[in-house]
Amino acid sequence: MAAIELRQLTKVYPGGVKALDSLDLVVPDGEFFALLGPSGCGKTTLLRTIAGLETATGGAVVIGERDVTGVQPGGRDIAMVFQDYALFPHMDVTDNIAYPLRIKKVAKGARHEKAREVGARLGLEQLMDRRPGQLSGGQQQRVALARVMATQAQAFLFDEPLSNLDARLRLEARTFLKKLQRELGVTTVFVTHDQAEALAMADRMAVMESGHIRQIGTPAEVFQRPANTFVAGFIGSTPMNLLDATVRGDTLEVAGCKVPVPSSAAGLLRDGESVVYGVRPEYNTYSDRPADGALGGKVVIVENLGASHLVTLEVAGVSVQAVVPEGNEPAVGDDGYASPRRDRALVYRDGELVSA
Amino acid sequence: MTRFVLGRIGFYTLIAVLLAFFTIPLLWLAAAPFTSDPTYEVRVPDFTLDNFTAILEHPYALPSLLNSLILAVGTAALVVVFAALAAYALSRVRLPGRDALLYALLLLSSIITGTAAMVPLFQLAVELNLIDSQFGLILILTGGLLPAAIFMMKDFMDSTPKSYEESARVFGASPLQIVRHVVVPLVRPGLATIAVWAVANVWGNFLMPYLLLSDVEKQPAAVIMYTLYTEGGQANLTLLSTFGLLYSIPVVIMYLFVSKKYGFRFHGGIKR
């Protein structure tokens, strides 16, 4: 078990593409850490640089207080699950799980014993003699996990561990992975492009954009107080309302309506300043009657989310979304009013969160 | 209607003639060795084994088949090992001018060991003291087959995903271990293809052994076949047909064996 520390890590690909730009990050011992971002943001490059499959152009990778920047992947005492699992198709499940031990020159009997033990723990007893081609996607994933567990490495790296499973299995695997990580207590970094996955599984997460980390925090922090408009727009299953606003004393003028300055930004704004007002649809209370500090407009779209509805209002030419519980959803064309929760609304100045 | 019928008749006649062109020699090869006095025509054999007794008594016939085997297996082994290593490197390492190098190799391969390079190759063999040596011949044949083999092998290597190797690398496997444990098993059908192709090539090669081996005891079957004449200078059809049959059988068996053993590929392990 060990912490992972990155110091000003930089990766420039031949041809001048800067995939990682001077990143600093500490993943404490035993943490389940998510690297989240849109495709091409450098999250996979970062994971591969930690693994040693890519060479850092600058900076340092420290695993368990040992600088491993120049060390080969095999010498870093880490284990990795690839997006496609990379199980060896010519070996059965036992040999696949035992492969890391074969490299460590563990005798055949002992390593097969260990493989059976780990396999049993992941419910693979019946499959130990099969080839990967004879396994379902979920089973292949468990074999890949068993293989990294057999290494007893100090840290695990997962590259998009759930992306190859179908939707229902993915939910199951999410719960399973989180439970397994908690039981093993091994420092684990995983990469995902799915914000719901990161929020659900990680203890802490980093949101990345074009080679930079835009925010690090717990899922709750990142969801409730996105540090900038990029994170605000990326996190959440329904994107946050980001509306141009002008400061007018104690209120903000948003799309022709007056809303109170959110508590997080109270006393930090200058009169007359142009800012961006942000509120999640989930934190908008919908009503069909006018209210103080509400954004009023016409209902243009109602989308069914299951137990709730996503209602889009058009307020002076600007779209504002609110989540409405089932039972009292409006019809298209109705007049509607969305009242943002003052303790959950946020203000961004030049794209960055305004807060004390 | 008549036009259509006539057209069909013409078409099938053409096919029959074409087929006969290929089948009759094969029928002759199957029948003549068992016929007492074979001629150029295909006849129902009288199932004598005298021809086989005669070929067994020929001093160089059977040893020449063994020579062919030594040359073929030796060359195939060298070609497979060198082609696999070179193709792996060429497939995984980005070199400037790599593709140009590959095409140049492919182009040159038809010239080396071909008629065009005969004189310089002979000279080279003489200078290196490799004339009349089976080992020398194996080296020259290997050189001739390698470029095309590397080219084919690279295709196999390119089609195996890199993540297998990266996975093994993260577990601490050395490059040689990765090749032994992961790459070779994955490209085994490709290796088998190259080996069969090399064996068949050497087995049928007449020119190189004819030029470079003067000792009749070292010559392979393809060259010995050329010496099977009667005292009158006529082709000795008795020996020729029988030896021809013996000469073909090993290659046919090899094809059957390899296609049974490697006529499949591994699937799975990488989720697509």
Side-chain angles (χ1 to χ4, degrees):
Chain A
M1 315 304 125
I4 299 174
E5 196 181 337
L6 310 178
R7 294 182 193 141
Q8 297 185 343
L9 194 67
T10 302
K11 171 73 189 177
V12 182
Y13 280 111
V17 180
K18 211 168 204 179
L20 303 174
D21 196 354
S22 191
L23 295 189
D24 287 296
L25 178 66
V26 178
V27 181
D29 188 12
E31 193 168 70
F32 202 17
F33 192 88
L35 293 172
L36 173 69
S39 46
C41 70
K43 57 191 191 297
T44 297
T45 303
L46 177 54
L47 195 78
R48 290 172 59 87
T49 312
I50 299 174
L53 292 169
E54 305 285 349
T55 330
T57 319
V61 179
V62 179
I63 299 174
E65 283 163 21
R66 185 166 69 104
D67 188 331
V68 294
T69 318
V71 178
Q72 282 290 310
R76 296 189 173 199
D77 204 6
I78 41 132
M80 183 161 170
V81 172
F82 287 77
Q83 187 171 3
D84 54 22
Y85 309 141
L87 302 175
F88 305 127
H90 56 287
M91 297 182 192
D92 63 16
V93 170
T94 311
D95 281 333
N96 259 296
I97 298 175
Y99 187 74
L101 302 174
R102 180 175 168 191
I103 296 296
K104 286 185 190 137
K105 303 239 177 339
V106 176
K108 194 167 189 162
R111 64 178 195 249
H112 281 186
E113 181 58 36
K114 177 78 187 169
R116 268 191 295 278
E117 184 191 315
V118 178
R121 186 158 177 197
L122 296 185
L124 296 165
E125 302 96 327
Q126 309 299 319
L127 310 171
M128 298 304 281
D129 297 327
R130 298 231 192 135
R131 290 263 167 89
Q134 301 164 303
L135 301 176
S136 71
Q139 290 165 340
Q140 290 187 12
Q141 192 205 32
R142 276 185 286 150
V143 175
L145 288 171
R147 189 166 62 173
V148 301
M149 280 166 65
T151 61
Q152 294 181 319
Q154 300 216 35
F156 292 162
L157 307 174
F158 299 163
D159 189 5
E160 300 265 7
L162 303 178
S163 68
N164 270 328
L165 303 174
D166 51 47
R168 176 151 302 273
L169 204 56
R170 199 174 298 178
L171 285 181
E172 257 172 58
R174 203 157 89 177
T175 317
F176 172 78
L177 261 184
K178 184 161 183 168
K179 187 158 157 271
L180 185 70
Q181 198 274 340
R182 184 123 322 154
E183 282 169 16
L184 297 173
V186 178
T187 316
T188 305
V189 178
F190 74 100
V191 157
T192 178
H193 62 270
D194 181 348
Q195 53 87 27
E197 221 169 272
L199 291 175
M201 293 202 292
D203 296 327
R204 282 197 318 144
M205 58 200 276
V207 185
M208 292 183 66
E209 185 201 10
S210 51
H212 296 269
I213 291 179
R214 304 308 304 268
Q215 185 171 8
I216 300 177
T218 64
E221 284 164 10
V222 174
F223 183 79
Q224 289 171 2
R225 294 169 62 82
N228 44 60
T229 47
F230 171 78
V231 177
F234 193 71
I235 298 283
S237 47
T238 51
M240 185 186 277
N241 294 301
L242 292 170
L243 311 164
D244 288 330
T246 313
V247 182
R248 298 270 181 255
D250 276 352
T251 58
L252 292 172
E253 193 180 307
V254 181
C257 306
K258 283 205 183 306
V259 295
V261 169
S263 24
S264 61
L268 298 168
L269 300 173
R270 291 187 300 276
D271 202 27
E273 184 178 22
S274 284
V275 291
V276 170
Y277 179 71
V279 61
R280 292 203 177 278
E282 292 88 344
Y283 297 144
N284 265 338
T285 313
Y286 177 85
S287 161
D288 50 7
R289 274 184 289 275
D292 258 2
L295 300 158
K298 275 231 179 314
V299 176
V300 285
I301 298 167
V302 179
E303 291 165 62
N304 193 332
L305 301 180
S308 57
H309 288 77
L310 180 65
V311 173
T312 306
L313 295 173
E314 194 156 300
V315 183
V318 181
S319 289
V320 178
Q321 293 186 313
V323 172
V324 181
E326 62 184 340
N328 49 357
E329 62 271 16
V332 172
D334 288 358
D335 283 330
Y337 300 88
S339 314
R341 265 176 68 175
R342 195 170 166 234
D343 59 336
R344 284 283 177 265
L346 302 164
V347 173
Y348 294 93
R349 183 193 289 133
D350 302 328
E352 296 298 320
L353 182 68
V354 179
S355 82
Chain B
M1 190 62 201
T2 355
R3 263 188 76 130
F4 176 76
V5 172
L6 281 179
R8 284 275 115 171
I9 290 173
F11 178 68
Y12 284 118
T13 313
L14 182 71
I15 292 212
V17 170
L18 277 177
L19 269 181
F21 195 76
F22 288 102
T23 9
I24 288 173
L26 287 177
L27 280 176
W28 182 84
L29 188 63
F34 302 98
T35 312
S36 318
D37 185 20
T39 57
Y40 286 115
E41 60 185 334
V42 179
R43 276 182 302 178
V44 179
D46 51 358
F47 296 108
T48 168
L49 291 176
D50 291 352
N51 300 345
F52 288 91
T53 323
I55 198 79
L56 287 181
E57 280 166 7
H58 189 282
Y60 302 118
L62 279 190
S64 77
L65 282 172
L66 185 67
N67 286 340
S68 282
L69 195 70
I70 292 171
L71 291 178
V73 171
T75 308
L78 287 184
V79 166
V80 165
V81 170
F82 290 140
L85 292 175
Y88 180 57
L90 283 169
S91 166
R92 293 304 189 242
V93 183
R94 276 229 142 268
L95 288 172
R98 179 187 64 176
D99 293 342
L101 173 75
L102 276 168
Y103 283 105
L105 277 181
L106 195 66
L107 196 71
L108 287 174
S109 68
S110 49
I111 301 171
I112 300 170
T113 68
T115 337
M118 238 162 33
V119 175
L121 272 177
F122 188 83
Q123 281 293 335
L124 186 71
V126 170
E127 293 293 327
L128 291 175
N129 235 344
L130 287 175
I131 210 87
D132 205 18
S133 136
Q134 286 181 329
F135 176 65
L137 181 56
I138 286 177
L139 286 185
I140 286 173
L141 290 170
T142 304
L145 296 179
L146 260 181
I150 291 171
F151 200 78
M152 286 191 267
M153 209 53 227
K154 186 182 163 286
D155 238 32
F156 277 98
M157 296 287 186
D158 284 347
S159 65
T160 53
K162 260 187 169 174
S163 56
Y164 289 130
E165 293 149 48
E166 289 182 338
S167 178
R169 236 184 109 197
V170 175
F171 293 132
S174 69
L176 263 182
Q177 278 175 321
I178 293 174
V179 169
R180 276 209 336 264
H181 298 164
V182 182
V183 179
V184 165
L186 286 176
V187 299
R188 194 166 276 159
L191 297 176
T193 308
I194 301 287
V196 167
W197 169 81
V199 165
N201 245 292
V202 174
W203 197 264
N205 195 325
F206 167 77
L207 189 63
M208 280 297 135
Y210 181 69
L211 285 176
L212 298 177
L213 297 176
S214 47
D215 185 349
V216 73
E217 283 177 14
K218 291 177 186 162
Q219 281 170 348
V223 177
I224 292 299
M225 181 96 68
Y226 179 66
T227 66
L228 298 177
Y229 285 94
T230 59
E231 286 86 356
Q234 294 284 312
N236 185 342
L237 290 183
T238 316
L239 290 182
L240 260 180
S241 62
T242 318
F243 193 58
L245 188 66
L246 290 178
Y247 174 70
S248 327
I249 285 171
V251 185
V252 173
I253 290 177
M254 174 186 69
Y255 270 111
L256 292 179
F257 173 75
V258 171
S259 109
K260 195 166 153 56
K261 196 154 192 296
Y262 297 109
F264 64 90
R265 297 205 67 174
F266 292 113
H267 295 286
I270 292 280
K271 187 96 196 287
R272 274 175 239 272

